Amino acid sequence: MRVVETEHLILRRLTVEDSEFILALLNDPLWLRFIGDKGVRTLNDARDYILKNLVAMYERLGFGLYLTELKGTGVSIGICGLIKRDFLEDVDLGFAFLQEFRGKGYAYESASAVMEYGRSSFGLNRIVAIASPDNFDSAKLLEKLGFRFERMVKLADDSESVSLFASDL
């Protein structure tokens, strides 16, 4: 299901047919470093991850992370979307792209469109984002999108603190 279209991209809901892509993305070295190991090692693991995390959020909230693909070619390049985490009061923006598609403006283009989608379709007037303190590329992108650093937060009692950014829409 197509959700957002931009000049160069189409963002749509993920399905189990996207398992190969999710397997590759969740095992990308920067995903593992900055987001964490989700234990997805096989196509079956990827299918389960899509159903239990992504599809379940669409069904529960009406939004989630979306597959980001190049318009015209249909090549899957990353994910970008809205997430509601239990430990955060606000909805947050999430994004991750395969290495060969980083630094080309696709994250900015997709994130800008997702932020507008959140405002217009769900009435969001504030959105947050989290990033590892040493993920300088994500922090730079968030600042370009209009986010400002707010504070450090812990995802769980036994985890490292992450940077919380916020933006009014």
Side-chain angles (χ1 to χ4, degrees):
M1 178 179 143
R2 185 178 294 194
V3 176
V4 176
E5 188 171 327
T6 68
E7 182 181 355
H8 303 104
L9 307 169
I10 293 172
L11 283 77
R12 65 168 175 79
R13 289 184 174 195
L14 285 122
T15 69
V16 292
E17 285 77 32
D18 301 307
S19 296
E20 283 186 42
F21 170 76
I22 287 297
L23 179 62
L25 183 66
L26 270 60
N27 286 286
D28 178 271
L30 290 184
W31 176 287
L32 293 169
R33 177 178 171 197
F34 292 127
I35 298 172
D37 188 347
K38 304 298 183 188
V40 175
R41 301 286 182 266
T42 67
L43 284 176
N44 280 336
D45 293 343
R47 284 185 196 99
D48 288 345
Y49 181 85
I50 290 168
L51 292 172
K52 292 177 183 173
N53 295 286
L54 307 173
V55 172
M57 190 170 289
Y58 303 147
E59 291 171 352
R60 193 170 71 250
L61 301 171
F63 59 77
L65 290 168
Y66 306 113
L67 181 79
T68 304
E69 59 186 32
L70 294 176
K71 192 184 280 185
T73 67
V75 172
S76 300
I77 65 170
I79 56 174
C80 183
L82 302 169
I83 308 162
K84 180 60 185 103
R85 300 177 200 269
D86 293 339
F87 60 88
L88 292 175
E89 185 176 326
D90 298 292
V91 171
D92 79 290
L93 174 71
F95 51 84
F97 288 80
L98 292 173
Q99 191 212 341
E100 59 265 35
F101 302 104
R102 295 180 194 134
K104 299 182 184 308
Y106 298 133
Y108 179 82
E109 185 174 335
S110 60
S112 297
V114 163
M115 290 170 68
E116 174 54 29
Y117 175 70
R119 188 193 63 71
S120 63
S121 297
F122 296 98
L124 300 178
N125 54 24
R126 176 180 149 91
I127 193 166
V128 298
I130 56 173
S132 296
D134 60 342
N135 190 342
F136 304 113
D137 290 339
S138 285
K140 183 177 173 184
L141 173 61
L142 291 170
E143 289 170 0
K144 184 176 178 182
L145 288 163
F147 285 79
R148 296 291 167 249
F149 173 80
E150 210 167 72
R151 67 184 186 276
M152 299 299 288
V153 297
K154 281 189 165 264
L155 305 182
D157 290 338
D158 61 345
S159 68
E160 299 286 325
S161 292
V162 295
S163 302
L164 178 75
F165 295 82
S167 176
D168 293 326
L169 300 178

